[in-house]
Amino acid sequence: MGMDFVFTVEVVGIALGVIGLILTIVVCALPTWIEITIIEANVTTTEVVTYGLWMSCVAQGTGQTQCEVYNSMWYPARAMFPTAIILGVLGVTISMVVAKCTNCIKDETSQTKLIIIAGIIFILAGILILITLFMVTITVQINYFTQSKGNFELGNSLYFGWVAAALLLIGGFILCINVGVFGWMMGIFGWIVSLVPCCISVLFILDPYRDTWTFLMTTSISSILGALGVMGSIFGTRCCNCIKSNRTRVKARFIVGIFFILAGILQFTTVFLNYYLTHTFPEYRRGFLIFFAEHSRWAGSMLLIGGTILCCSTLKKKPDSTTTKSISH
């Protein structure tokens, strides 16, 4: 029964990753990321302009549609989205090869390690998609399309992109949960996301604003604590075998959880500081603050969840040795 449950969970994680990959490819190809409806007095002259990563289309009221490749301002998005697709393909390939239903790899230890790698790749792909969607949405809303005439709307592709990212993240987490490393993964990826606000605060420090030092201090300390937690995660897992004693491994897990929790608290502190100090920055810089706050919220949530799971996992009581001896006799 236990093996059937593990097999089912594994299949669900792989299936979510496959569906997320297919949606990612569709979203990357569709030119419906942004929609602008230009309404004129004459219905036949009304136009709907849609923008994607690679091309823009104009649908006229007469029913004619013209599409052309254009020089997009989303150059980072054009790099990150194909990278997410490549990671998704790699994750699907590895997960299918090492799945228990294929029996391509007989060794259970090797299967476990490769399943973890596949889950990590799915999560990385999902994070890349989320960063791309945040970047495109915030940049467009603040800097570009809000100044154009017509009704501005986010296109359907962005919503499908959120779904694709969610499926990849959930599929990756399920694969990692299946082998018992969910707390480690949440903390590690929370630290990776927290590096984005840290880099933004470094850019802000170039401005002559005294309050930017507060952002730099909190994000830097959070990144250092997260890095300590990541190093402890790497050396404290069973697959690494750097720590032989089970008792020492439990203590290391608890310390890593505390590091992640402290880093998460500092991330949320930067979010509160962000809202408190936003009015002190010029209007053209507030878009960066919104981008900063979104990443800090995501990073803080993952760090807190991962740290809490790791700390709670150390509270499991093991059966007393005398009880086990009596049962064995």
Side-chain angles (χ1 to χ4, degrees), residues 88-161:
V89 172
L90 185 60
V92 169
T93 303
I94 295 175
S95 60
M96 287 186 172
V97 169
V98 302
K100 291 181 173 61
C101 57
T102 59
N103 289 326
C104 295
I105 298 178
K106 304 295 183 181
D107 185 26
E108 291 187 1
T109 303
S110 300
Q111 281 185 342
T112 300
K113 291 180 179 179
L114 289 174
I115 280 292
I116 293 174
I117 293 173
I120 292 173
I121 291 174
F122 280 152
I123 296 173
L124 282 175
I127 290 175
L128 280 177
I129 295 173
L130 284 180
I131 293 175
T132 303
L133 296 177
F134 274 126
M135 181 177 60
V136 170
T137 303
I138 293 173
T139 304
V140 165
Q141 287 182 337
I142 293 175
N143 295 327
Y144 190 73
F145 286 104
T146 52
Q147 300 176 0
S148 64
K149 61 179 182 178
N151 297 326
F152 162 78
E153 293 180 355
L154 298 177
N156 296 328
S157 293
L158 288 181
Y159 298 107
F160 284 119

Side-chain angles (χ1 to χ4, degrees), residues 42-111:
N42 190 354
V43 178
T44 57
T45 58
T46 299
E47 294 181 346
V48 178
V49 184
T50 59
Y51 292 86
L53 279 181
W54 314 102
M55 64 177 63
S56 63
C57 297
V58 179
Q60 299 177 350
T62 57
Q64 296 179 345
T65 302
Q66 295 180 348
C67 297
E68 61 179 6
V69 179
Y70 75 110
N71 293 324
S72 173
M73 63 179 177
W74 306 324
Y75 294 109
R78 285 185 170 183
M80 285 189 287
F81 230 79
T83 303
I85 293 175
I86 295 172
L87 288 175
V89 172
L90 185 60
V92 169
T93 303
I94 295 175
S95 60
M96 287 186 172
V97 169
V98 302
K100 291 181 173 61
C101 57
T102 59
N103 289 326
C104 295
I105 298 178
K106 304 295 183 181
D107 185 26
E108 291 187 1
T109 303
S110 300
Q111 281 185 342

Side-chain angles (χ1 to χ4, degrees), residues 155-232:
N156 296 328
S157 293
L158 288 181
Y159 298 107
F160 284 119
W162 297 115
V163 176
L167 291 176
L168 286 168
L169 289 173
I170 294 172
F173 284 136
I174 286 177
L175 292 180
C176 292
I177 291 172
N178 204 27
V179 293
V181 292
F182 180 68
W184 305 108
M185 292 300 102
M186 288 293 287
I188 290 172
F189 286 107
W191 173 72
I192 293 173
V193 177
S194 71
L195 294 178
V196 176
C198 185
C199 294
I200 294 177
S201 63
V202 171
L203 295 176
F204 267 137
I205 207 65
L206 299 177
D207 289 338
Y209 296 103
R210 177 176 52 85
D211 295 327
T212 55
W213 286 100
T214 307
F215 291 113
L216 180 61
M217 181 180 65
T218 53
T219 55
S220 298
I221 296 174
S222 175
S223 299
I224 293 171
L225 290 173
L228 292 174
V230 169
M231 287 189 290

